[in-house]
Amino acid sequence: MKESKRVLTKKDITKLGLLSSFLQASFNYERMQAGGFTVAQLPFLKKIYKNDKKGLSEAMTDDLEFINTHPNFVGFLMGLLLFLEENHEDRAIIKGLKVALFGPLAGIGDAIFWFTILPIVAGICSSFAMQGNALGPILFFSVYLTIFLLRIVWTHLGYNLGTKAIDLIKTNSQIISKAASILGITVIGGLIASYVHINVVSKIAINAKHAVSLQTDFFDKIFPNILPLGYTLLIFYLLKKKNVSPVILILTTFILAILLSFIGVL
Amino acid sequence: MHSITLVQGLLLAILAVIVGIDFWLEALFLFRPIIVGTLTGLILGDLQTGLIAGGLTELAFAGLTPAGGTQPPNPILAGIMTTVIAYTTGTDPKTAIGLALPFSFLMQYIILFYYSSFSFFMPKADKYAEEANTSGLIRLNILTTAIVAISYGVVVFLSVYVAQDLMKILVKSMPVWLGHGFEIAGGILPAVGFGMLLKVMMKGQYVPYFIIGFFIASFIPFSNLLPVAVIGAALAIYEYFNSKNKLVKNEMMAMNGDDYNEGI
């Protein structure tokens, strides 16, 4: 083990957590988040390498390689990598750790932030907002401000864990993603029942006095919300098995809705 | 029927610049329709419309996420335009979502264009790295972000201020079935979002949880999804400890090589 030469302070790591928000500043399809990833670490790389221009240039070149991870968790990765830079570990280790970690972090981040927290928070806050209650957006903002500030915590965690971090991620990432997915999937089931509305207005005339309403006498008797469920699963099937683009599905849904409205079915 | 004043148009453009940067960086989530709609409502002096339009649009866009580097229809333009159209034309926010959609697609394609074209900045970035030119690299990142921010401002100003008469004429000349069709589309559209979520998340082993969530929400009438979320959390915690136990057992088995053969 090389001797630890600490040049970064606790304050630096807090600052790094905030600067990690520039991750996507120059997002592009070729390198994805590489530009912002490098820029966020620059003040600290400069502090570590001081007058060593070659060292700084090498670190910058490595950081500019392709990376696509999660903006909320990237601080964890930056903290860990800067700990290694600070100790002047082998460049191959730093590069290897980055490549090994950014994918799993993106996966966990997407599962937690986009597929679990967003549907739940959006579902609850929207139900307030749609009643004209300002509590909806206020609650939404509070939740996301907290999530934003937690970036500082993840960054300290990454820095402090040093080389131990890789074991932690590797042993727990699958379990954490799985638990988050279960919560997300349960909520999506609930979201479909609550927020997709398909109401058939057609009636089948049996005689002059009686008519059977397709919605209340047929679909609702089989199962409430069976049409929203069926349509969502159809979309799921088309996306997954037929690789239909979401934009085409949105347009088709639109045209279908207008067409069915025109002929009086919906 | 209301009009957008020049000041309101400029304020909305400034709002778009700020939340546009927020969306570009995915920082504070101010770019979500629930926030954008509310702030648009405040600027227009009609908070109620902003809240309702924002809430409705948020739901329709809950599944359309930029996870994994894909760019969804733009939530900012959806939030602003749904509110603006509902306010200026007096249409139901549900109908306005549909009318706002073309603006949302327009911005989505502009961002997609930037995603591709910003690749051309990377050779320059490599050169800065080679020279250890830190300020050059910072400038480059500020430039790309500024291009995006200005685009948001310009597109929103043109959409809300310059094109508003066009929108009113469009809405006025709309037959009833078409308006109703838009409203229905607003009700079905979340299905596409949820389908997208399922595409990335659904695996055979998760089907039971999906069914549980759907059943609870179908049969327990409640104003929000908190009960479903609580039950989902309970299931997730159960699964977490279950998997963790299995992992510990596997590790113990791996350590005692002799026991391994006796297992199962």
Side-chain angles (χ1 to χ4, degrees):
Chain A
M1 274 301 271
K2 282 160 197 156
E3 213 177 305
S4 171
K5 294 174 227 150
R6 295 207 125 185
V7 284
L8 299 182
T9 61
K10 272 200 156 173
K11 227 174 144 187
D12 283 331
I13 304 304
T14 301
K15 212 173 133 197
L16 174 68
L18 292 171
L19 285 179
S20 76
S21 304
F22 288 104
L23 179 69
Q24 307 197 107
S26 59
F27 190 96
N28 61 78
Y29 280 137
E30 197 219 336
R31 306 278 178 88
M32 299 258 170
Q33 302 155 332
F37 183 76
T38 311
V39 159
Q41 299 183 75
L42 276 183
F44 316 103
L45 287 174
K46 264 162 91 176
K47 211 171 160 182
I48 292 168
Y49 286 102
K50 291 190 187 82
N51 297 322
D52 178 8
K53 226 178 163 187
K54 190 168 164 280
L56 179 60
S57 165
E58 277 173 4
M60 282 172 78
T61 307
D62 281 355
D63 283 340
L64 269 178
E65 273 171 31
F66 180 95
I67 182 169
N68 192 27
T69 189
H70 201 280
N72 273 311
F73 281 149
V74 72
F76 180 84
L77 187 55
M78 288 177 180
L80 171 62
L81 295 182
L82 277 179
F83 173 85
L84 298 174
E85 296 271 11
E86 194 181 17
N87 289 288
H88 296 283
E89 291 287 346
D90 192 48
R91 290 234 67 83
I93 296 178
I94 299 175
K95 258 159 95 169
L97 261 178
K98 181 181 113 170
V99 175
L101 286 180
F102 79 69
L105 277 177
I108 299 176
D110 283 347
I112 292 178
F113 294 105
W114 284 117
F115 306 138
T116 307
I117 294 179
L118 183 69
I120 296 169
V121 177
I124 291 167
C125 295
S126 296
S127 57
F128 285 123
M130 285 186 297
Q131 292 157 15
N133 190 337
L135 190 66
I138 291 169
L139 191 67
F140 188 92
F141 177 69
S142 320
V143 171
Y144 276 94
L145 184 65
T146 312
I147 291 173
F148 178 79
L149 292 175
L150 280 174
R151 288 177 182 194
I152 296 169
V153 177
W154 310 135
T155 310
H156 278 283
L157 205 66
Y159 182 78
N160 294 339
L161 276 173
T163 47
K164 282 182 225 152
I166 192 158
D167 293 334
L168 178 92
I169 293 275
K170 271 197 173 156
T171 49
N172 283 313
S173 80
Q174 276 183 322
I175 301 180
I176 295 171
S177 318
K178 195 176 171 190
S181 299
I182 287 172
L183 174 54
I185 290 273
T186 312
V187 171
I188 292 167
L191 280 167
I192 293 168
S194 313
Y195 293 120
V196 182
H197 301 293
I198 302 177
N199 193 19
V200 178
V201 292
S202 293
K203 286 179 179 162
I204 298 168
I206 295 172
N207 55 38
K209 277 182 189 167
H210 294 282
V212 174
S213 158
L214 273 177
Q215 186 70 43
T216 52
D217 295 326
F218 185 63
F219 290 124
D220 287 352
K221 290 257 163 75
I222 303 174
F223 201 90
N225 297 320
I226 190 165
L227 288 178
L229 180 66
Y231 192 74
T232 310
L233 292 180
L234 174 69
I235 298 267
F236 168 53
Y237 169 78
L238 293 173
L239 283 165
K240 181 112 185 170
K241 302 280 176 198
K242 304 278 170 193
N243 274 322
V244 182
S245 114
V247 173
I248 291 185
L249 290 174
I250 291 173
L251 287 176
T252 317
T253 303
F254 237 89
I255 294 164
L256 211 64
I258 289 159
L259 210 70
L260 290 173
S261 162
F262 181 65
I263 58 174
V265 173
L266 292 178
Chain B
M1 289 282 191
H2 296 92
S3 290
I4 304 283
T5 63
L6 178 62
V7 175
Q8 285 172 334
L10 289 171
L11 283 173
L12 287 173
I14 293 167
L15 170 71
V17 167
I18 295 167
V19 296
I21 294 174
D22 189 55
F23 185 36
W24 182 243
L25 300 175
E26 279 177 46
L28 282 164
F29 275 60
L30 301 172
F31 61 84
R32 295 302 304 176
I34 187 170
I35 303 284
V36 174
T38 305
L39 294 176
T40 305
L42 274 177
I43 290 173
L44 300 178
D46 186 353
L47 183 61
Q48 282 298 306
T49 301
L51 282 167
I52 295 165
L56 277 166
T57 317
E58 180 63 47
L59 281 178
F61 277 72
L64 302 170
T65 68
T70 54
Q71 183 65 10
N74 194 274
I76 295 171
L77 266 287
I80 291 180
M81 293 315 290
T82 304
T83 313
V84 166
I85 292 169
Y87 171 78
T88 52
T89 63
T91 43
D92 189 288
K94 265 189 203 155
T95 314
I97 290 184
L99 295 167
L101 215 58
F103 298 95
S104 181
F105 282 131
L106 170 72
M107 201 64 217
Q108 176 192 13
Y109 285 115
I110 293 174
I111 298 291
L112 282 174
F113 170 73
Y114 288 148
Y115 276 178
S116 306
S117 52
F118 285 175
S119 300
F120 294 108
F121 282 111
M122 294 325 279
K124 191 94 189 158
D126 287 334
K127 206 172 146 257
Y128 288 140
E130 206 184 311
E131 299 163 352
N133 180 352
T134 52
S135 52
L137 193 63
I138 293 170
R139 264 204 314 277
L140 185 147
N141 277 270
I142 292 174
L143 175 69
T144 47
T145 306
I147 292 173
V148 173
I150 292 165
S151 307
Y152 270 105
V154 171
V155 170
V156 165
F157 184 73
L158 291 177
S159 305
V160 301
Y161 187 70
V162 181
Q164 63 165 324
D165 288 329
L166 208 77
M167 276 174 347
K168 275 189 201 167
I169 294 165
L170 201 80
V171 173
K172 261 190 204 161
S173 59
M174 201 166 62
V176 177
W177 59 266
L178 190 59
H180 182 63
F182 276 139
E183 199 174 311
I184 289 165
I188 308 179
L189 216 57
V192 181
F194 300 144
M196 298 264 296
L197 282 173
L198 288 176
K199 185 193 169 193
V200 279
M201 293 180 73
M202 189 53 117
K203 286 180 190 156
Q205 55 173 328
Y206 297 145
V207 170
Y209 306 105
F210 178 76
I211 295 172
I212 290 169
F214 180 77
F215 261 71
I216 294 166
S218 289
F219 288 104
I220 304 178
F222 195 67
S223 69
N224 67 51
L225 276 173
L226 204 55
V228 180
V230 170
I231 290 169
L235 294 168
I237 294 165
Y238 173 79
E239 182 59 40
Y240 176 81
F241 284 110
N242 226 359
S243 301
K244 200 129 201 204
N245 280 341
K246 264 188 222 157
L247 203 77
V248 171
K249 268 187 203 158
N250 285 345
E251 270 171 10
M252 279 168 65
M253 266 198 234
M255 270 191 273
N256 307 328
D258 299 338
D259 294 347
Y260 188 75
N261 294 328
E262 288 163 23
I264 309 174

